[in-house]
Amino acid sequence: MTIGWALLGVLVTAGLGALGAFTTGPRLRVLIAGWSTVAVGAAGVLVGALALSGATYSTTMPELLPLSEAEIAADALSGMFCLLIGGVAIVTGIYSLGYFSGHTAAKTPLGVLPLFAAAMILVPVAANVTTFLVLWELMALASLILVLTEHRSRAAVREAGVWYGAMTHAGLITIMLGLVLFASKAGGESFAALREAELSGTTRSLVFVLTFVGFGSKAGLVPLHVWLPRAHPEAPSPVSALMSAAMVKLGLYCVLRVGLDLLAGGPRWWWLLVLIAGAISALYGVLQASVATDLKRLLGYSTTENLGLVFLGVGAGGMFAADGNRTLASLLIAAAVLHALNHAAFKALLFLGAGSVLRATGVRDLDGLGGLVSRMPATTALFGVGALAAAALPPGNGFVSEWLLVQGLIHGLPTADTVVTVAMPLAVGVVALTAGLGVVTFVKAFGVGFLARPRSARAADAKESPLSMRVAMILAAAGCAALAIVPAAAGPALTAVLQELPTVRDGVPIHGLVILRLTDLQGQMSPFLILTGLLLAAVLAVALVRSGLPRRRSLVWGCGGTRLDPRMEYTATSFAEPLTRVFDDVLRPESDVDVTHHEESQYLVRGVKYRQRVDDRVEQLLYPPVIAGGNKFGSTLSRLQNGSLHRYLALGLVGLIVVLVVVGLVT
């Protein structure tokens, strides 16, 4: 089996799956869409495995695109992301079989689901600018259609679709500008021609900044993240998993491809910019997640946090690569890619778990959940695995990659370089603070959402998810476990990825399966031994409890109360209240206390209602002026449409002259 046949399998399976979903009845439609998505994912995993094992592939299809020939090529870098996306597509395809069963699902979303997975897998193998932009836009349109699945019944979905459509196409414009400028100066649009181009420093920097803005928007980096906590909650949960665990990683792929491959690295300030954007995104994302009460919105902000950590690692690695320190550069970029893999595994699991809760209860608000541990034990246990990983606590897989990231940052010191001396300790502090807030976030999500007593009738009536949904979550949890226990097994694949990046073309400086050691650096850690120690401690604790020690049963102390009530429990809002107070200047929460009195006397209180809302302050500060300016510009342009044919011809002539002048200046 060659990569070419596997890619053909992606195209054929997606096309047949979409056709079947559009032309069959509701029950068969769900089966066709789900299994075709699984098949597309399996083909993507095969492409990735072959490319990472050393196989390469390239082909040109001159008649496929009207204005340019389509070029496809696969190497280890593209293979890593095909593998990642394919794995997520497999579990979400299996999950969708149960998620969409039992009700009439719309034709369009189910037909688009395999096409979305196929478009994501094909983006990393695009080998020229036109092919890349076409596939990127197909991916964006497919995801937009999926986000708008319930647009007829819910205004929030329509609003999320508008925000997502606007942000993704604004990003496309900056990407297009950067790549077209790159191709025009290189004298060709193939990636091979771009690698050989000799550009001025100003042009290189302009290309990098323009593309980084567009790719950073797709990755959900602050301040271009505003679509993410809107679109992820409103999309169906399998789609949320695909977007958060897979699609946003293509922003990382493209920054690596353009910044470290096609441009072959660049000056230090490029990567300092990436590091700063990543650090701000990590801190702001986890802070918003820690105070969120909507479970899927919390997970959306957590994605911004984790992609921020990934880009922090890429930025630090790029800085060391610019200084010629390939050992630290390779360690940090390998840590970033490994964290992207880890995030794909645990975020897919978390969104699938959230979808199970939503399907069983119809509730996303953590304040209306609780008590699910006895009603949905499998979902609770599997969500707990994902929460442990997302909190970056051992033995979760998120701990391993964040440990490698911190090791790379710490080993960058001491140094005589002022920028590195200031940036690296601050980056370590960002990772540490983010990890601490991440623990708070997922203790809240798991404890408030699944433990204690149900705080609503819907939570009390919840039933466990169908078998296919549980199987999908088990597969995602297995991926988390494998990456947590034997992370060094990913070493050869990460080494193959680094070989595609000229400025960091070095082996991954980690080795050892049982004990993970840093090559040529001080530092070692054993996820396997940590897990073994925790299991032994648990066994010992159980043995002590059952060893005949005296025990007695009594009620848990209830602060003087004799009857425990769900109203006495911590809610997500009250749990996050201390953090809200500490970060009040950043979050600016809006609180409302409504006190009602008895009619007989204003001194007798009937009830007190407390409501708190924490809006996205970045969105509030930056976007209203932009939207107002856009509306004003649009209203001004509308005056030109007065029905005069002569005016339209004159405007067309002026536009043509402007385009010709710009093209002449650029070329």
Side-chain angles (χ1 to χ4, degrees):
M1 175 67 72
T2 65
I3 293 177
W5 284 108
L7 290 173
L8 181 62
V10 171
L11 290 169
V12 172
T13 307
L16 292 176
L19 179 63
F22 278 116
T23 56
T24 56
R27 288 188 177 181
L28 190 56
R29 181 185 305 145
V30 172
L31 291 174
I32 291 174
W35 285 116
S36 61
T37 303
V38 172
V40 168
V45 169
L46 181 58
V47 170
L50 290 171
L52 288 169
S53 65
T56 58
Y57 177 78
S58 63
T59 188
T60 301
M61 292 168 279
E63 299 179 358
L64 188 62
L65 298 177
L67 299 178
S68 171
E69 59 185 18
E71 290 188 46
I72 298 294
D75 58 13
L77 178 59
S78 57
M80 175 64 79
F81 288 87
C82 288
L83 181 70
L84 182 155
I85 296 165
V88 176
I90 290 173
V91 297
T92 52
I94 296 172
Y95 183 89
S96 65
L97 297 172
Y99 185 85
F100 290 114
S101 65
H103 61 84
T104 303
K107 284 184 182 181
T108 303
L110 284 171
V112 170
L113 188 62
L115 296 177
F116 178 43
M120 286 193 294
I121 290 171
L122 293 174
V123 165
V125 298
N128 71 9
V129 172
T130 301
T131 307
F132 173 82
L133 291 175
V134 168
L135 292 171
W136 186 270
E137 180 63 5
L138 287 175
M139 176 189 70
L141 291 176
S143 59
L144 178 58
I145 292 170
L146 292 169
V147 168
L148 291 170
T149 296
E150 300 179 11
H151 71 280
R152 290 187 175 88
S153 58
R154 295 169 51 211
V157 175
R158 295 191 291 273
E159 183 181 0
V162 170
W163 275 91
Y164 178 50
M167 294 301 298
T168 194
H169 284 93
L172 175 66
I173 290 173
T174 64
I175 294 168
M176 187 182 299
L177 289 174
L179 293 181
V180 169
L181 174 62
F182 197 174
S184 67
K185 294 296 185 181
E189 65 163 347
S190 70
F191 285 1
L194 299 183
R195 289 187 185 94
E196 301 298 326
E198 296 183 3
L199 308 181
S200 66
T202 302
T203 302
R204 285 166 49 83
S205 297
L206 186 57
V207 168
F208 180 79
V209 171
L210 285 171
T211 54
F212 176 63
V213 169
F215 298 141
S217 174
K218 182 62 68 178
L221 298 184
V222 176
L224 306 173
H225 69 291
V226 291
W227 65 270
L228 198 150
R230 292 174 179 270
H232 284 39
E234 304 305 335
S237 293
V239 178
S240 300
L242 274 172
M243 293 176 69
S244 188
M247 186 186 73
V248 297
K249 305 302 186 306
L250 290 175
L252 168 65
Y253 162 77
C254 294
V255 169
L256 293 176
R257 177 66 77 188
V258 174
L260 292 174
D261 178 19
L262 303 183
L263 289 171
R268 182 192 295 176
W269 70 264
W270 289 10
W271 307 107
L272 182 61
L273 174 66
V274 174
L275 187 151
I276 292 171
I280 293 173
S281 300
L283 279 178
Y284 189 78
V286 74
L287 194 56
Q288 286 288 340
S290 67
V291 298
T293 59
D294 184 310
L295 180 56
K296 292 184 71 176
R297 186 176 178 88
L298 179 153
L299 296 178
Y301 275 117
S302 171
T303 295
T304 294
E305 169 220 342
N306 281 280
L307 267 294
L309 291 175
V310 168
F311 276 89
L312 185 151
V314 171
M319 289 179 65
F320 286 118
D323 291 339
N325 190 336
R326 292 196 169 196
T327 300
L328 288 181
S330 61
L331 174 60
L332 285 161
I333 292 174
V337 175
L338 180 60
H339 194 66
L341 284 173
N342 286 331
H343 179 257
F346 69 69
K347 190 52 63 70
L349 176 57
L350 289 170
F351 265 114
L352 298 183
S356 296
V357 172
L358 180 59
R359 187 180 187 274
T361 65
V363 176
R364 294 192 328 228
D365 187 357
L366 289 170
D367 292 343
L369 294 173
L372 299 179
V373 64
S374 58
R375 293 159 179 81
M376 304 177 69
T379 298
T380 300
L382 292 166
F383 190 93
V385 172
L388 180 68
L393 292 174
N397 59 319
F399 169 74
V400 177
S401 47
E402 290 198 23
W403 179 81
L404 288 174
L405 178 60
V406 170
Q407 290 297 314
L409 296 172
I410 290 174
H411 280 89
L413 297 170
T415 178
D417 190 290
T418 304
V419 175
V420 175
T421 301
V422 174
M424 294 305 121
L426 290 177
V428 172
V430 167
V431 176
L433 181 56
T434 300
L437 292 174
V439 172
V440 173
T441 298
F442 285 97
V443 167
K444 178 189 74 173
F446 185 75
V448 174
F450 292 86
L451 305 183
R453 298 187 178 188
R455 289 180 293 278
S456 68
R458 290 183 174 185
D461 296 335
K463 299 287 194 272
E464 187 57 270
S465 301
L467 179 61
S468 65
M469 296 171 65
R470 283 176 281 158
V471 168
M473 289 188 286
I474 289 170
L475 290 175
C480 292
L483 289 167
I485 298 172
V486 285
L494 294 173
T495 298
V497 169
L498 294 179
Q499 293 299 318
E500 304 296 335
L501 309 176
T503 56
V504 292
R505 192 169 287 163
D506 200 354
V508 178
I510 58 175
H511 65 279
L513 287 178
V514 177
I515 299 178
L516 190 65
R517 293 185 174 91
L518 302 180
T519 306
D520 300 328
L521 298 170
Q522 292 183 352
Q524 63 181 24
M525 182 266 294
S526 175
F528 178 78
L529 293 180
I530 291 173
L531 177 61
T532 303
L534 291 173
L535 291 176
L536 289 176
V539 170
L540 180 61
V542 172
L544 288 174
V545 169
R546 295 183 176 181
S547 63
L549 295 176
R551 291 179 290 171
R552 64 187 179 91
R553 293 181 179 273
S554 61
L555 291 174
V556 177
W557 181 65
C559 302
T562 58
R563 182 176 62 86
L564 295 178
D565 187 270
R567 293 181 61 192
M568 301 175 183
E569 300 172 7
Y570 267 99
T571 63
T573 303
S574 59
F575 188 92
E577 176 64 19
L579 281 177
T580 307
R581 291 180 179 273
V582 170
F583 294 99
D584 179 77
D585 290 337
V586 177
L587 297 172
R588 294 292 177 90
E590 297 180 6
S591 302
D592 181 24
V593 180
D594 184 13
V595 181
T596 57
H597 302 272
H598 287 276
E599 295 180 359
E600 293 80 3
S601 173
Q602 62 176 340
Y603 298 106
L604 299 177
V605 176
R606 181 188 297 273
V608 178
K609 291 183 179 180
Y610 174 79
R611 292 180 295 273
Q612 179 173 277
R613 187 178 71 177
V614 181
D615 292 322
D616 192 317
R617 195 178 178 198
V618 171
E619 177 185 324
Q620 289 181 326
L621 290 175
L622 296 183
Y623 286 87
V626 174
I627 294 172
N631 290 335
K632 186 175 181 180
F633 180 70
S635 62
T636 302
L637 288 181
S638 65
R639 298 174 187 171
L640 299 176
Q641 298 179 348
N642 64 345
S644 171
L645 180 61
H646 297 88
R647 175 176 289 188
Y648 295 159
L649 291 173
L651 291 173
L653 177 61
V654 171
L656 177 61
I657 293 172
V658 170
V659 169
L660 292 174
V661 170
V662 170
V663 170
L665 292 175
V666 170
T667 57

